[in-house]
Amino acid sequence: MKRRQFLGASVAMSAAALTPRLVFALDKDNVYRNAIGIQLYTLRNQIKDDVAGTLKAVADAGYKQVEPYGFPNAKPMIDAARDNGLALHSSHFEWDSVVNPDDKGVPPFAEILQKAKDAGLTHLVVPYLADKNRTTLDDYKVTADRCNKAAEEAQAAGIQLAYHNHAFEFQPMQGGRYGYEVLMDEFSDAMKFEIDIFWVQLAGHDPAKLIRKLKGRVSQLHLKDLSKQTPVPTYNGVANEAFEEIGDGVIPMEPIFKAAAEAGVVHCHVEQDQSPDPLASIRQSMAYLKKM
């Protein structure tokens, strides 16, 4: 057995020991549904106008935790979340500190780690890749190497680093191979995935199947739904109308929760990138989850 395969098997066995024991994926004691979070990018426009009122609305809607964006420049969101009794475990952050550390003006990752520790975070997530970091499969290899080094640094600080996908990582490239395959092959045991099920589905893949394939390597999920009218696969450029409230689209949630439990996923966050009324959308998605 190769070293990477052996280590992967060891991580999978360790994760299995920590997997939530659920008889049914969505019973009343479901660990995900009862601690559901929200990625605050959903409410970015409302947060600009009224961060305190928006976070109160999040708590009133029944969400238990939040995942901010733009860390370390996220203090107003973090303060408002705590004022409303919302837990904070994870944040998206200035990813260039990991992916493009030599670019001018990029803060050192060590500084971001220290601020994350001070804020009480346990997870940091690379939320995106610029075009220059994903033009070729070799670009993905460079990204994986830099993420692995940062993940070891984060692990030493007690923080889990993960990578959040979109659809472009699944677009076939040289020889039909795609970027996400490179990340799956090249990420070390210290580096995890935050799987966004919408983008996986949009790219023509089965999110539950991918979660199971990466058992022990998925730290968090983003939950959102995909419109029935949206062409699949689509890798770049999707209409605003493609984003649906949970339960209104084509992605069945029960298999997602079952796969998450089997794979050892820790946190699940609702996100809806586009909505004409984001607050109404997050209430509707939560209402659906509560009825499952």
Side-chain angles (χ1 to χ4, degrees):
M1 182 181 287
K2 294 182 179 179
R3 179 177 180 273
R4 182 179 296 277
Q5 293 172 320
F6 173 78
L7 291 173
S10 299
V11 170
M13 288 187 288
S14 298
L18 298 173
T19 298
R21 294 183 179 181
L22 304 178
V23 178
F24 301 103
L26 298 169
D27 62 8
K28 65 180 180 180
D29 295 324
N30 180 272
V31 295
Y32 303 121
R33 190 185 65 179
N34 291 340
I36 199 72
I38 186 165
Q39 165 50 245
L40 290 177
Y41 182 78
T42 305
L43 302 165
R44 57 198 178 278
N45 294 323
Q46 289 70 30
I47 285 170
K48 287 179 183 177
D49 294 334
D50 180 9
V51 63
T54 301
L55 270 293
K56 182 180 185 302
V58 168
D60 291 345
Y63 293 88
K64 303 302 182 183
Q65 61 173 305
V66 299
E67 185 181 49
Y69 55 91
F71 190 86
N73 301 312
K75 189 174 187 303
M77 285 183 274
I78 291 172
D79 290 345
R82 292 206 167 107
D83 288 344
N84 285 281
L86 293 160
L88 288 143
H89 302 290
S90 176
S91 183
H92 288 192
F93 71 103
E94 294 185 8
W95 71 91
D96 280 332
S97 65
V98 168
V99 179
N100 298 299
D102 298 325
D103 283 4
K104 184 177 180 180
V106 172
F109 184 56
E111 291 183 7
I112 291 178
L113 273 181
Q114 185 58 55
K115 291 178 180 179
K117 286 184 66 177
D118 293 343
L121 298 177
T122 54
H123 295 70
L124 287 173
V125 182
V126 175
Y128 193 71
L129 289 182
D131 289 347
K132 68 177 182 178
N133 300 120
R134 52 185 171 95
T135 302
T136 68
L137 294 177
D138 284 340
D139 292 334
Y140 280 100
K141 289 182 180 180
V142 171
T143 292
D145 181 62
R146 290 174 177 173
C147 284
N148 289 341
K149 291 176 181 177
E152 290 184 6
E153 191 177 349
Q155 199 170 63
I159 292 174
Q160 179 62 63
L161 188 64
Y163 177 86
H164 171 278
N165 66 278
H166 289 78
F168 57 73
E169 295 95 338
F170 297 89
Q171 184 167 11
M173 300 174 74
Q174 298 98 311
R177 191 165 163 78
Y178 51 89
Y180 207 77
E181 287 182 306
V182 173
L183 300 182
M184 289 190 291
D185 289 346
E186 298 295 328
F187 275 172
S188 69
D189 298 329
M191 186 68 192
K192 306 297 183 185
F193 293 91
E194 180 179 68
I195 292 182
D196 187 307
I197 66 172
F198 171 96
W199 296 112
V200 174
Q201 186 85 22
L202 183 67
H205 293 258
D206 182 335
K209 184 177 179 180
L210 179 62
I211 292 166
R212 287 192 172 93
K213 181 176 182 178
L214 290 171
K215 183 176 181 179
R217 302 178 67 190
V218 184
S219 56
Q220 303 182 91
L221 299 181
H222 274 191
L223 306 177
K224 62 182 76 165
D225 218 338
L226 174 66
S227 168
K228 299 176 179 68
Q229 285 73 43
T230 304
V232 173
T234 296
Y235 303 109
N236 291 287
V238 63
N240 290 352
E241 293 75 23
F243 298 90
E244 291 275 16
E245 291 76 19
I246 292 175
D248 280 1
V250 299
I251 305 177
M253 288 296 133
E254 185 168 349
I256 300 296
F257 281 105
K258 286 182 177 179
E262 294 171 13
V265 172
V266 182
H267 301 297
C268 295
H269 308 284
V270 170
E271 184 181 32
Q272 189 167 334
D273 299 39
Q274 301 292 340
S275 166
D277 188 346
L279 285 172
S281 291
I282 70 165
R283 294 185 189 108
Q284 181 178 331
S285 290
M286 177 55 77
Y288 178 85
L289 290 171
K290 285 181 176 179
K291 290 178 181 177
M292 292 183 73

